[in-house]
């Protein structure tokens, strides 16, 4: 219920406050605020100023509490960033093969190959470019089928969310 969600978010805000002192600092703290509060608008920059150390584990735990829809809305609609990762929307790019790419801050795609490379192309057969290939089953990625099958579905939205979740779980986005 909404009341349960407010109670939950209050506890999460308290945990972030405890972790970051009086929150007079910013991490890309906007993601922490989003993960804590959900889609509710929360202007952390009026509270935050410098830098708050937020661990990868903290981001992983908060990300796990978001539904797929909430995570999609944050990445796609709000153009949010999760740790170092973000959704690059290439639907309007005529020279791009994929509708979406999951990228890190240095523009490397997620997931990474065993040599540390990757485009981050998202299988999205239900979007305009109708990308039906999922490259992550290739041995060059070294990802078990039980893992990559989560982001090789026929839903672009599901695949975006699962690639981001994989990036967080593997530490690539931290």
């Amino acid at each position: 219920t909404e009341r349960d969600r407010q109670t939950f978010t209050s506890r999460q805000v308290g945990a972030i406050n405890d972790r970051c002192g009086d929150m007079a600092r910013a991490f890309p703290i906007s993601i922490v605020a989003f993960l804590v509060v959900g889609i509710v608008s929360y202007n952390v920059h009026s509270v935050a100023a410098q830098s708050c150390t937020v661990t990868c584990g903290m981001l992983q735990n908060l990300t796990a509490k978001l539904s797929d829809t909430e995570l999609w809305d944050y990445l796609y609609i709000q153009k949010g960033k999760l740790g170092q990762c973000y959704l690059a929307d290439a639907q309007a790019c005529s020279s791009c093969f994929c509708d979406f790419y999951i990228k890190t801050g240095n523009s490397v795609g997620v997931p990474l190959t065993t040599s540390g490379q990757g485009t981050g192309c998202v299988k999205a057969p239900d979007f305009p470019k109708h990308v039906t290939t999922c490259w992550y089953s290739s041995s060059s990625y070294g990802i078990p089928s039980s893992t990559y099958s989560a982001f090789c579905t026929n839903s672009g939205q599901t695949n975006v969310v699962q690639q981001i979740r994989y990036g967080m779980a593997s530490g690539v986005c931290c």
Side-chain angles (χ1 to χ4, degrees):
T1 67
E2 184 58 32
R3 184 179 186 125
D4 291 337
R5 184 179 174 100
Q6 288 172 349
T7 302
F8 167 76
T9 58
S10 296
R11 278 182 283 171
Q12 291 299 318
V13 170
I16 297 293
N17 283 335
D18 290 345
R19 175 86 174 135
C20 300
D22 61 356
M23 227 180 186
R25 311 177 259 296
F27 154 64
I29 201 116
S30 56
I31 181 62
V32 174
F34 171 78
L35 291 172
V36 168
V37 181
I39 314 266
V40 178
S41 177
Y42 181 57
N43 185 357
V44 229
H45 296 291
S46 63
V47 183
Q50 297 172 353
S51 171
C52 172
T53 303
V54 176
T55 66
C56 184
M58 212 171 156
L59 282 174
Q60 289 167 335
N61 290 338
L62 291 170
T63 304
K65 292 178 182 356
L66 287 177
S67 71
D68 287 355
T69 301
E70 289 171 320
L71 192 50
W72 167 260
D73 287 348
Y74 177 70
L75 296 167
Y76 182 67
I77 296 170
Q78 296 184 14
K79 310 290 185 228
K81 194 172 182 184
L82 186 57
Q84 295 299 312
C85 291
Y86 63 95
L87 173 63
D89 184 345
Q91 293 179 89
C93 174
S94 61
S95 62
C96 298
F97 181 77
C98 299
D99 291 289
F100 304 107
Y101 297 86
I102 303 300
K103 296 288 189 177
T104 63
N106 60 4
S107 294
V108 174
V110 175
L112 302 175
T113 62
T114 54
S115 64
Q117 300 300 310
T119 65
C121 179
V122 175
K123 178 182 177 183
D126 52 339
F127 280 85
K129 295 180 183 181
H130 305 289
V131 176
T132 58
T133 305
C134 189
W135 290 268
Y136 309 117
S137 61
S138 163
S139 61
S140 65
Y141 283 91
I143 302 171
S145 63
S146 59
T147 301
Y148 72 70
S149 62
F151 43 85
C152 289
T153 72
N154 287 323
S155 166
Q157 182 174 332
T158 296
N159 297 338
V160 162
V161 168
Q162 295 307 319
Q163 275 182 239
I164 282 282
R165 289 189 191 283
Y166 175 82
M168 285 303 301
S170 66
V172 174
C173 294
C174 298

